[in-house]
Each structure stands twice: as structure tokens, then as C-alpha cells.
């Protein structure tokens, strides 16, 4: 990719250094140790807890019970086990200053519970969100793109480093 997750992790680090309470998750490529070939994705809570999001499967070992996106079998329950508790804000006292959701893509949207949680977060608008979405996204995500409160940034390899500072500053100002 162009570095959306790297950008999210940099912003999280910068906000944590400023003692801002941030909660959420990101998705991370998993590569084979020998040849560096991508074999899937993990979901990682900002607390460090991780689970399997997807793994590549050969045609003969395809797990018919799991939904697929391209060559990847998606582990919806594992994803939900890590991601959903990160998005569950129980009370005002433990409410983070920002929820990080990286990303809202095809694999993640296979979870009906995740879809419902995203809808709730968008409707209630009680907490700022930092969300990554693929450039080509579903109609469901268009509402997120077109929300008057959304600020969109197109991440490229050329701008991803400068965006970290810019977005961190914007978020910090909105948390004051």
C-alpha cells in the first residue's frame, strides 16, 4: 500500500507522547519470514493485542466456512474479538479522546457487528474518529466520506510523512 497504517501508527505514537488517550485498532500485513511474501493480515489493538484478520489459502486448502476476499480467507470472529471491544465506549470516564479505525475495507465489512458499530459511531458522533478507508470503497462508506464533519486526506508515498504532523496537530487542537 501507500502507507496508511504506517501513518496511523505514527499519529498514534505522537498523540500518546502528548498524553492523549487514544483507543482503537489497525490492520497489519503479515509476511512469510523466508521470502517476504505477503500471506495475510492481522488486526492489532492499540494496546498490542493481536489476532488474525486474513490468511492466503491455496485452492486445495480453501476453508469453505470462511468468507474470502481475493486469495484471502477472512477470520471474521477473530477480527471481531480484537476490534469490537476497542470501539465499545462504556462510559464518559473511560472515553478516549480519539477512536482509531484502520481500516474500514472489504474484509472488515464482512462483520455485520462491525458494520453496525460503525453505523452507531457515525450516528451518535460523540467521539472523534480517525478512520482509514480504501480509495475505492462501498456505497456504505460514502456516507462517511460525505459527512460534513469529515476531513479527507489522500495518502500517498510522497505525502505520508508530512501528513503525520499535520493530522496530529489537527487532532490535538480538536481534543483541547
Amino acid at each position: 500500500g501507500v502507507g496508511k497504517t504506517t501513518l496511523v501508527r505514527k499519529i498514534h505514537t505522537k498523540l500518546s507522547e502528548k498524553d492523549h488517550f487514544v483507543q482503537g485498532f489497525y490492520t497489519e500485513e503479515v509476511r512469510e519470514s523466508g521470502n517476504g511474501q505477503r500471506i495475510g493480515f492481522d488486526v492489532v489493538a492499540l494496546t498490542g493485542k493481536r489476532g488474525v484478520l486474513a490468511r492466503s489459502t491455496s485452492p486445495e486448502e480453501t476453508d469453505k466456512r470462511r468468507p474470502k476476499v481475493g486469495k484471502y480467507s477472512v477470520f471474521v470472529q477473530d477480527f471481531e474479538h480484537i476490534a469490537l471491544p476497542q470501539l465499545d465506549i462504556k462510559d464518559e470516564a473511560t472515553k478516549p479522546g480519539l477512536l482509531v479505525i484502520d481500516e474500514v475495507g472489504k474484509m472488515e465489512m464482512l462483520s455485520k457487528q462491525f458494520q453496525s458499530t460503525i453505523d452507531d459511531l457515525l450516528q451518535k458522533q460523540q467521539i472523534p474518529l480517525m478512520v482509514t478507508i480504501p480509495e475505492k470503497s462501498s456505497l456504505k462508506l460514502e456516507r462517511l466520506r460525505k459527512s460534513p464533519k469529515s476531513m479527507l486526506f489522500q495518502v500517498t508515498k510522497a505525502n505520508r510523512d508530512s501528513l503525520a504532523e499535520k493530522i496530529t496537530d489537527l487532532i490535538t487542537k480538536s481534543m483541547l
Side-chain angles (χ1 to χ4, degrees), residues 12 18 32 109 112 131 136 170:
H12 170 245
K18 296 179 181 193
E32 218 167 65
M109 292 301 273
K112 300 290 182 224
V131 181
K136 293 182 180 130
L170 284 167

Side-chain angles (χ1 to χ4, degrees), residues 17 64 146:
E17 288 168 356
K64 301 283 188 241
K146 292 186 171 145

Side-chain angles (χ1 to χ4, degrees), residues 120-158:
D120 286 349
L121 288 168
L122 290 173
Q123 282 173 353
K124 292 177 183 165
Q125 294 185 350
Q126 59 191 180
I127 190 163
L129 305 172
M130 180 170 68
V131 181
T132 63
I133 53 178
E135 200 166 2
K136 293 182 180 130
S137 55
S138 67
L139 290 173
K140 194 164 188 66
L141 295 178
E142 282 306 304
R143 198 171 88 224
L144 183 61
R145 277 185 201 274
K146 292 186 171 145
S147 166
K149 292 189 174 190
S150 289
M151 293 182 79
L152 296 177
F153 297 92
Q154 185 170 18
V155 182
T156 65
K157 287 181 179 174

Side-chain angles (χ1 to χ4, degrees), residues 8-9 11-12 15 22-26 44 46 83 86-87 96 98-103 128-132 171:
V8 165
R9 291 177 67 185
I11 293 168
H12 170 245
L15 290 171
V22 180
Q23 189 170 303
F25 71 90
Y26 60 91
V44 185
L46 295 179
Q86 296 302 309
L87 305 180
L98 178 74
L99 271 184
V100 174
I101 305 169
D102 171 40
E103 86 175 351
L129 305 172
M130 180 170 68
V131 181
T132 63
I171 291 169

Side-chain angles (χ1 to χ4, degrees), residues 1-161:
V2 296
K4 293 188 301 284
T5 297
T6 302
L7 175 62
V8 165
R9 291 177 67 185
K10 281 182 181 176
I11 293 168
H12 170 245
T13 299
K14 288 175 182 292
L15 290 171
S16 296
E17 288 168 356
K18 296 179 181 193
D19 292 328
H20 291 299
F21 178 40
V22 180
Q23 189 170 303
F25 71 90
Y26 60 91
T27 54
E28 183 174 74
E29 285 185 349
V30 177
R31 296 193 173 268
E32 218 167 65
S33 56
N35 62 11
Q37 192 166 352
R38 185 167 66 195
I39 57 169
F41 300 89
D42 279 354
V43 56
V44 185
L46 295 179
T47 59
K49 190 175 181 183
R50 70 171 47 233
V52 174
L53 172 60
R55 290 293 183 269
S56 58
T57 49
S58 61
E60 63 274 4
E61 66 176 344
T62 297
D63 187 341
K64 301 283 188 241
R65 296 166 301 174
R66 294 195 193 284
K68 290 191 65 142
V69 173
K71 67 177 184 176
Y72 299 102
S73 291
V74 181
F75 291 67
V76 175
Q77 285 182 311
D78 291 29
F79 168 72
E80 290 174 343
H81 178 72
I82 300 294
L84 293 179
Q86 296 302 309
L87 305 180
D88 184 21
I89 310 306
K90 298 204 183 334
D91 58 57
E92 283 295 313
T94 60
K95 188 168 105 171
L98 178 74
L99 271 184
V100 174
I101 305 169
D102 171 40
E103 86 175 351
V104 181
K106 285 180 188 171
M107 292 181 190
E108 296 82 3
M109 292 301 273
L110 289 171
S111 165
K112 300 290 182 224
Q113 283 182 281
F114 180 67
Q115 285 185 36
S116 173
T117 299
I118 294 293
D119 286 344
D120 286 349
L121 288 168
L122 290 173
Q123 282 173 353
K124 292 177 183 165
Q125 294 185 350
Q126 59 191 180
I127 190 163
L129 305 172
M130 180 170 68
V131 181
T132 63
I133 53 178
E135 200 166 2
K136 293 182 180 130
S137 55
S138 67
L139 290 173
K140 194 164 188 66
L141 295 178
E142 282 306 304
R143 198 171 88 224
L144 183 61
R145 277 185 201 274
K146 292 186 171 145
S147 166
K149 292 189 174 190
S150 289
M151 293 182 79
L152 296 177
F153 297 92
Q154 185 170 18
V155 182
T156 65
K157 287 181 179 174
N159 74 0
R160 66 182 176 203
D161 292 329

